[in-house]
């Protein structure tokens, strides 16, 4: 039985990932900062309240995972949307808070997962980036910069850890149905002077498939990347987005 750890795994994309791995028979560990969300996870999962950017807490978590027998798959999924504002209006504190979770959270998870996977001589790191990490996105400077950096981190991990049999890949979701994007829609609509529905339609119109994606769509890719079917897939940036043509359509 494989052991899988998903950060921010109690809700949203992370919850869908956890459910996908659980369906394969994996032993699932999830972390989250939201105690209420953790209280709702299935009894068979290992659930821990951990701030992804708190290094002592992350170190203690991975020590516990190591004591339980090691780690086969890490889904470094913790992230926050950050502010929606022109760059000149972004407070440094808001920038740092966004980068801390999205980038430093992925770094810390990889830092403490790597020794466990080296001991095993195998493993799969799946980092959640974003289409904003491929194209950038106006009025989302902290988020886009952090998610772009996650891809650089992943590429480096693939090179550094590949000789130990460890793979690293990044998933780049497009607009994902769910509570986080609802907040983004509201803030973007206010900033652009558009209706919430117009912004929603614009996101779909910017893709070849004219669609949003679901958390399950992203989770399916994570499960694949964590499986033996992807045993020679590493260093890849894989968008799950219906193919973005225009990251900022005005419709």
């Amino acid at each position: 039985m494989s052991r899988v750890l998903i950060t921010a795994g109690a809700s949203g994309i992370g919850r869908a990932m956890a459910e996908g791995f659980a369906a394969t028979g994996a032993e699932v560990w999830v972390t989250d900062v939201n105690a209420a969300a953790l209280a709702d996870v299935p009894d068979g999962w290992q659930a821990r309240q951990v701030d992804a950017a708190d290094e002592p807490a992350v170190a203690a978590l991975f020590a516990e995972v190591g004591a339980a027998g090691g780690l086969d798959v890490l889904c470094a999924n913790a992230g926050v949307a950050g502010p929606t504002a022109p760059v000149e209006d972004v407070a440094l504190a808001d920038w740092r808070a966004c980068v801390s979770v999205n980038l430093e959270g992925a770094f810390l998870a990889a830092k403490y997962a790597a020794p466990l996977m080296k001991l095993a001589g195998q493993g799969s790191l799946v980092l959640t980036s974003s289409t904003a990490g491929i194209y950038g996105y106006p009025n989302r400077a902290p988020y886009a910069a952090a998610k772009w950096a996650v891809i650089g981190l992943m590429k480096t991990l693939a090179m550094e850890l590949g000789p130990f049999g460890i793979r690293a890949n990044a998933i780049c979701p497009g607009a994902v149905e769910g509570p986080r994007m609802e907040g983004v829609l509201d803030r973007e609509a206010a900033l652009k002077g558009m209706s919430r529905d117009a912004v929603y339609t614009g996101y779909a119109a910017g893709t070849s498939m004219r669609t949003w994606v679901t958390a399950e769509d992203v989770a399916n890719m994570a499960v694949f990347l964590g499986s033996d079917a992807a045993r020679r897939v590493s260093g890849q940036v894989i968008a799950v987005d219906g193919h973005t043509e225009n990251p900022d359509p005005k419709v």
Side-chain angles (χ1 to χ4, degrees):
M1 179 188 297
S2 62
R3 183 172 291 106
V4 181
L5 171 64
I6 302 104
T7 65
S11 62
I13 292 173
R15 175 64 177 259
M17 288 178 176
E19 291 173 348
F21 280 105
T24 71
E27 178 184 325
V28 172
W29 291 57
V30 297
T31 71
D32 212 291
V33 295
N34 188 328
L38 285 168
D40 188 46
V41 305
D43 291 339
W45 298 3
Q46 295 291 328
R48 302 291 184 272
Q49 187 173 11
V50 176
D51 181 338
D54 180 344
E55 183 166 13
V58 172
L61 167 71
F62 279 90
E64 185 180 2
V65 173
L71 183 65
D72 299 293
V73 181
L74 166 69
C75 293
N77 173 67
V80 294
T84 301
V87 67
E88 64 268 25
D89 294 334
V90 175
L92 181 58
D94 292 338
W95 168 281
R96 287 175 172 164
C98 183
V99 171
S100 176
V101 176
N102 288 292
L103 178 57
E104 293 175 8
F107 157 69
L108 288 173
K111 174 179 178 177
Y112 288 98
L116 300 181
M117 292 182 175
K118 283 183 177 180
L119 283 174
Q122 62 86 35
S124 175
L125 303 171
V126 181
L127 279 58
T128 302
S129 179
S130 167
T131 49
I134 301 174
Y135 303 102
Y137 199 86
N139 303 307
R140 300 287 302 285
Y143 182 79
K147 290 301 190 181
W148 198 292
V150 164
I151 292 174
L153 172 63
M154 176 278 294
K155 290 283 190 179
T156 300
L157 293 171
M159 295 175 185
E160 184 176 324
L161 300 176
F164 299 93
I166 301 166
R167 301 179 292 109
N169 294 284
I171 301 176
C172 294
V176 180
E177 299 276 5
R180 182 188 299 179
M181 280 303 298
E182 289 298 322
V184 171
L185 287 173
D186 290 341
R187 293 191 296 273
E188 192 166 328
L191 183 66
K192 292 180 175 179
M194 298 168 61
S195 70
R196 179 261 182 211
D197 289 345
V199 177
Y200 180 94
T201 300
Y203 271 97
T207 71
S208 299
M209 296 182 72
R210 305 297 188 261
T211 186
W212 282 52
V213 299
T214 68
E216 184 179 6
D217 294 326
V218 183
N220 288 340
M221 182 57 69
V223 172
F224 167 70
L225 291 173
S227 74
D228 287 342
R231 66 186 182 276
R232 296 294 181 265
V233 180
S234 191
Q236 301 306 303
V237 179
I238 304 174
V240 180
D241 65 341
H243 183 232
T244 298
E245 295 178 0
N246 179 358
D248 186 31
K250 306 294 196 301
V251 298

